[in-house]
């Protein structure tokens, strides 16, 4: 009841969940002091830390579904490609639903769905459409440049889709 005295002078007592206290520390950038994740991580960093943990844990005991709402907030470029890659890896074990505005992330999806909200000033309606083939390339182009028919953006969209397809084939073999 009074606990056990340790050689370093601390006294520990077993509680209902044992004696150990575990803390995850984060060093968000080189030179920063490690701090508890809850104190040192932004919302976007917390989402990406959770994604990393879920990818690791899902391989051993996968839940049926993961839902990520803008896990890619505040990132872009190479980091966005890596987040897309990790989400695709997680999807090997579970169903993964992702709300994203980044084409780098969307390009790794097995299925790409566009949700649109339209209003005529009186009535607002929401539509959900799956995009495949060229329509998907056009949508990724629109996500990148705001222009669905930009030659440069279309080429980049095709490049992203090719990257995701190559990586998916490598995962299978």
């Amino acid at each position: 009841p009074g606990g056990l005295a340790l050689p370093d002078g601390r006294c520990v007592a077993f509680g209902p969940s044992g004696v150990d206290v575990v803390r995850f520390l984060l060093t968000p950038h080189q030179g920063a002091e490690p701090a508890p994740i809850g104190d040192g991580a932004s919302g976007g960093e917390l989402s990406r830390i959770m994604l990393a943990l879920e990818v690791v844990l899902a391989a051993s005991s996968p839940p049926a579904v993961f839902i990520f709402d803008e896990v890619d907030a505040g990132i872009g470029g190479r980091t966005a490609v890596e987040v897309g890659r990790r989400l695709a890896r997680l999807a090997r074990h579970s169903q993964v639903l992702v709300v994203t505005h980044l084409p780098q992330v969307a390009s790794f999806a097995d299925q790409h769905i566009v949700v649109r909200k339209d209003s005529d000033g009186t009535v607002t309606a929401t539509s959900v459409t799956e995009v495949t083939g060229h329509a998907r390339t056009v949508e990724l182009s629109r996500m990148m440049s705001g222009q669905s028919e930009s030659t440069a953006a279309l080429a980049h969209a095709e490049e992203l889709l090719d990257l995701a397809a190559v990586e998916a084939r490598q995962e299978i073999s």
Side-chain angles (χ1 to χ4, degrees), residues 38-57:
D39 297 339
S42 69
E45 287 169 329
L46 283 174
S47 295
R48 289 183 287 282
I49 291 166
M50 288 303 301
L51 172 60
L53 290 171
E54 289 163 349
V55 166
V56 171
L57 297 174

Side-chain angles (χ1 to χ4, degrees), residues 60-89:
S60 62
S61 178
V65 179
F66 286 100
I67 300 173
F68 294 97
D69 185 7
E70 299 187 30
V71 67
D72 51 19
I75 63 168
R78 184 182 311 171
T79 303
V81 169
E82 191 57 37
V83 167
R85 184 177 287 129
R86 302 260 167 113
L87 287 164
R89 188 177 305 150

Side-chain angles (χ1 to χ4, degrees), residues 104-148:
Q104 296 95 326
V105 172
S107 66
F108 281 88
D110 291 329
Q111 185 177 27
H112 187 151
I113 296 171
V114 177
V115 179
R116 284 195 172 81
K117 183 167 61 170
D118 296 303
S119 177
D120 63 6
T122 306
V123 176
T124 300
T126 302
S127 63
V128 178
T129 308
E130 180 181 10
V131 289
T132 60
H134 183 68
R136 184 172 185 201
T137 306
V138 169
E139 175 59 18
L140 291 172
S141 171
R142 185 202 61 76
M143 293 171 73
M144 268 184 266
S145 69
Q147 305 171 40
S148 56

